[in-house]
Amino acid sequence: MSSPKALDLQQIFTWMLADGLVEKADVKAQYAQAQGILKNTVGAMHPLCAVAHCKLKSGLPPHKQLTLDALTEWLAGRAALPFVRIDPLKIDFTKVADVMSASYAARFNILPLELTQDVLVVATADPFAIEWEAEIAKIARRAVRRVIANPLDIAQYTSQFFALAKSIKKANKTNGQDLALRNNFEQLVEMGKINKQVDANDQHVVNIVDWLWQYAFEQRASDIHLEPKRELGTIRFRIDGVLHQVYQVPAVVMIAMTARIKLLGRMDVIEKRRPQDGRIKTRTAGGQEIELRLSTLPTAFGEKLVMRIFDPEVVVKTLPELGFPADDAARWDDLTSRPHGIILVTGPTGSGKTTTLYTTLKALATSEVNVCTVEDPIEMVEAAFNQMQVQPGIDLSFADGVRALMRQDPDIIMVGEIRDLATAEMAIQAALTGHLVLSTLHTNDAPSAVMRLLELGVPYYLLEATLIGIMAQRLVRTLCPDCKSPDGEIGDDIWHSIGGAWKIPKPAVVYRPVGCPECRQTGYRGRTGIYELLTVTESFSKLVREETDIHALRGQSAADGMKPLRIAGAYKIIEGVTSAEEVLKVTAALG
């Protein structure tokens, strides 16, 4: 039988029946259902989409639902063509958009994905409608290689890519008439002198920035980096703690994007010689409010801009949702319910300390409690707290902020970070006068926080009187639930390097990352916390002296019930939450 030029519903069901995806007894009713969906749809609908809307179960074991992706992959196999899931991060859309117009792509429901010296890769959802192939091969002067992709993805990205490519070209033309003049380092550094050419309110620049934000939200990015280079600026996203390059734009377009974002963040657009901070509130496509914290840095080729994305939903999570084991969550609740004392959260930058503190304070900030914070900068504006930002320019330091807060009748004080002796002393004074103080410190593990405070010059007897708890934490990537795979038994040497002297029984099966479209082929999706919680006991306090030995502190904290970070990681491995490699990588600094 000769294949039709365009797919239709009847042909799809004929093939599905032949391949065993549908049962002969049910095919008539299922075909009628899909046909009804097609008829009742406003506008054109791909026949595969109609079949997917029926939510049929495959006739082949393990009888999974025939989703649109599953149907598209089956069709690719039927047509003997590669199946691809479109990854926007890997497509240079200004380059591929040059080979055809948006209207041409929409007319044939095709999307160019890759353009090399010899080949043009084009995604289609109709493997037998190929009347466009010869024409495009002639225009592109390259061989055309067809691949099969999800028809909805093709439609979505066709509108996005061509519109964005057009905006970037127009913005480049508007803002960079004399780009050819900027071919050396000195002229690039002096870009600040051509502000008249950079229009932050140009509609094309507005479109690019709006796309950038929405795309970052879709990709679950925690940070957006705009990095100026000599010829092209680089856009990168941090996703699950790992940086991914997203796109490169002409230098003048990046200047305009930076100017646009600074304008929205109420920053000084003209000033490019000194670092600045700002914040923006915006919304996702679904209407969820998102806050962006902005930071600029002058570099050799212009201003580097980093936007940290804060999701307010994170603050309303419970401790177990953050990754706390039940026993640690109970001990943490006990510590934070005490009327006075100092509680420290330690770990490197990006280990989730602020999220833990905000989540804790949000739970504590009832109408009967006055919660005050002093931060640098305020990470996320929260109505339940009274937040103050450190202002070094007017001599308002952490220590000055705590001193001022002491006169504001607080119950709980959160100090963004203890960096020096003055701040440590004010925090101790606040604790001695009947306040609960929470703060952060940069140390590798919980017992090391004591050593750090002693090194700053805090008298040991004041620590003994005020310190009630220390928690160290890290974030580990969680295995993607859609593709994680059993990996048999873990090696004795690897398990020993994680479990050490704790002699935790080795799990019979551990899981390994595989990679799928849902996790961007990394094998991981999302992150969770691992924690070591040190509750200061009388035995531990007796060891806090001027000549304290860190090994003695670690030994006592373990005797008091503290599980080290690697042991917390070991339990996450046993639960199938993460992998041994991830735990070892994140805790490498602990030895």
Side-chain angles (χ1 to χ4, degrees):
M1 182 183 69
S2 61
S3 298
K5 283 195 172 182
L7 276 176
D8 61 36
L9 204 57
Q10 184 176 358
Q11 182 65 71
I12 288 172
F13 269 94
T14 301
W15 286 338
M16 288 172 68
L17 184 60
D19 291 347
L21 293 187
V22 292
E23 301 289 343
K24 190 173 182 179
D26 304 325
V27 68
K28 192 173 181 180
Q30 292 168 346
Y31 175 74
Q33 184 185 359
Q35 201 170 35
I37 291 169
L38 269 182
K39 286 180 180 177
N40 294 325
T41 301
V42 178
M45 176 186 265
H46 194 282
L48 278 186
C49 296
V51 178
H53 273 295
C54 295
K55 298 182 178 178
L56 308 177
K57 291 287 181 70
S58 172
L60 300 174
H63 307 294
K64 289 186 177 180
Q65 185 174 319
L66 293 173
T67 63
L68 186 54
D69 268 342
L71 288 166
T72 309
E73 190 168 2
W74 161 77
L75 178 64
R78 255 277 171 184
L81 289 173
F83 169 69
V84 299
R85 288 182 173 90
I86 299 172
D87 185 352
L89 295 189
K90 295 179 180 176
I91 298 173
D92 185 344
F93 38 83
T94 50
K95 190 176 178 182
V96 298
D98 285 335
V99 300
M100 68 181 73
S101 67
S103 58
Y104 190 92
R107 177 183 162 197
F108 293 104
N109 196 22
I110 57 177
L111 179 66
L113 298 183
E114 185 181 354
L115 186 69
T116 66
Q117 191 170 357
D118 304 312
V119 177
L120 170 65
V121 179
V122 180
T124 177
D126 200 335
F128 306 112
I130 57 172
E131 61 267 32
W132 52 268
E133 186 174 347
E135 187 177 6
I136 291 300
K138 187 176 179 182
I139 293 170
R141 296 179 182 177
R142 290 166 175 83
V144 172
R145 182 162 67 88
R146 289 177 296 127
V147 296
I148 304 298
N150 184 315
L152 292 184
D153 286 348
I154 292 175
Q156 175 192 346
Y157 291 123
T158 297
S159 61
Q160 282 187 14
F161 288 174
F162 283 94
L164 193 58
K166 181 180 178 182
S167 290
I168 288 175
K169 287 176 183 175
K170 294 279 187 182
N172 189 32
K173 184 177 179 181
T174 303
N175 294 300
Q177 300 291 341
D178 60 349
L179 184 62
L181 298 176
R182 303 173 201 158
N183 289 327
N184 59 62
F185 177 81
E186 292 78 16
Q187 286 170 320
L188 276 166
V189 173
E190 292 182 3
M191 275 184 175
K193 296 180 179 178
I194 56 167
N195 290 316
K196 290 180 181 177
Q197 289 191 331
V198 179
D199 185 359
N201 290 314
D202 180 88
Q203 187 57 47
H204 301 297
V205 176
V206 172
N207 292 342
I208 296 167
V209 171
D210 287 347
W211 166 83
L212 177 68
W213 285 343
Q214 293 305 322
Y215 187 44
F217 302 152
E218 287 174 12
Q219 297 297 320
R220 301 178 293 104
S222 60
D223 300 84
I224 307 170
H225 291 242
L226 302 186
E227 302 173 346
K229 306 294 181 186
R230 187 182 295 275
E231 296 292 341
L232 293 170
T234 301
I235 299 173
R236 296 199 288 174
F237 291 168
R238 188 176 294 279
I239 303 170
D240 294 336
V242 179
L243 273 174
H244 300 265
Q245 181 165 315
V246 178
Y247 193 57
Q248 289 185 310
V249 297
V252 288
V253 176
M254 181 154 286
I255 293 172
M257 291 171 66
T258 302
R260 168 73 181 165
I261 294 164
K262 287 174 67 178
L263 189 68
L264 294 174
R266 297 175 182 171
M267 301 158 76
D268 187 343
V269 179
I270 304 300
E271 179 58 72
K272 296 178 171 66
R273 299 166 299 173
R274 62 181 177 85
Q276 295 186 64
D277 292 309
R279 63 179 65 247
I280 296 172
K281 275 196 174 182
T282 185
R283 290 186 181 276
T284 66
Q288 181 188 5
E289 190 176 85
I290 296 285
E291 188 164 312
L292 305 171
R293 199 188 79 199
L294 316 179
S295 173
T296 65
L297 183 75
T299 69
F301 297 109
E303 277 186 298
K304 180 181 187 294
L305 174 66
V306 174
M307 292 167 271
R308 175 153 287 185
I309 300 170
F310 289 101
D311 182 356
E313 294 295 318
V314 172
V315 179
V316 297
K317 284 187 175 181
T318 62
L319 293 178
E321 286 173 329
L322 293 180
F324 274 77
D327 56 337
D328 281 349
R331 292 167 63 211
W332 181 252
D333 285 338
D334 175 64
L335 283 175
T336 55
S337 64
R338 298 188 190 183
H340 55 81
I342 295 179
I343 302 171
L344 298 174
V345 180
T346 78
T349 301
S351 58
K353 301 186 298 295
T354 302
T355 299
T356 299
L357 286 177
Y358 270 68
T359 301
T360 302
L361 291 175
K362 180 81 172 174
L364 296 174
T366 62
S367 57
E368 295 84 19
V369 176
N370 179 17
V371 176
C372 298
T373 75
V374 53
E375 305 171 61
D376 182 24
I378 295 173
E379 299 278 4
M380 191 186 299
V381 176
E382 174 51 58
F385 317 151
N386 300 293
Q387 297 169 284
M388 177 197 301
Q389 181 159 321
V390 167
Q391 303 283 357
I394 57 171
D395 294 327
L396 177 57
S397 65
F398 275 118
D400 298 318
V402 177
R403 188 178 293 110
L405 290 182
M406 293 272 283
R407 298 192 290 273
Q408 290 285 313
D409 186 30
D411 297 297
I412 300 170
I413 297 173
M414 194 269 272
V415 183
E417 184 183 346
I418 293 178
R419 298 173 180 170
D420 50 40
L421 179 59
T423 306
E425 287 177 336
M426 284 310 306
I428 286 169
Q429 286 301 315
L432 288 172
T433 52
H435 304 91
L436 181 65
V437 180
L438 291 87
S439 188
T440 69
L441 207 59
H442 288 280
T443 61
N444 274 339
D445 62 358
S448 298
V450 174
M451 306 301 293
R452 174 74 177 133
L453 291 171
L454 291 172
E455 288 167 5
L456 286 176
V458 177
Y460 71 88
Y461 50 85
L462 291 180
L463 284 182
E464 190 179 351
T466 57
L467 194 61
I468 60 173
I470 309 168
M471 183 169 69
Q473 67 177 81
R474 297 290 191 279
L475 291 176
V476 294
R477 291 182 295 169
T478 53
L479 290 165
C480 174
D482 291 315
C483 67
K484 69 178 183 180
S485 173
D487 197 27
E489 194 176 7
I490 192 171
D492 290 336
D493 54 341
I494 296 175
W495 189 247
H496 179 74
S497 64
I498 296 171
W502 282 69
K503 297 180 179 177
I504 301 171
K506 191 169 66 168
V509 177
V510 294
Y511 289 85
R512 63 180 175 86
V514 176
C516 70
E518 296 299 322
C519 61
R520 307 191 45 73
Q521 305 300 331
T522 63
Y524 297 95
R525 193 168 80 208
R527 290 190 290 176
T528 190
I530 55 173
Y531 307 89
E532 63 175 31
L533 181 54
L534 189 166
T535 303
V536 178
T537 62
E538 187 176 344
S539 301
F540 186 89
S541 290
K542 288 178 180 177
L543 296 176
V544 179
R545 295 292 180 265
E546 288 183 22
E547 300 299 324
T548 295
D549 176 38
I550 185 63
H551 299 293
L553 291 178
R554 286 174 178 155
Q556 186 59 53
S557 59
D560 291 338
M562 183 194 83
K563 292 190 284 287
L565 282 167
R566 276 202 177 165
I567 301 305
Y571 284 110
K572 296 290 185 188
I573 296 168
I574 293 170
E575 294 165 12
V577 173
T578 191
S579 66
E581 293 78 13
E582 179 69 7
V583 170
L584 287 170
K585 185 180 84 170
V586 169
T587 61
L590 301 174

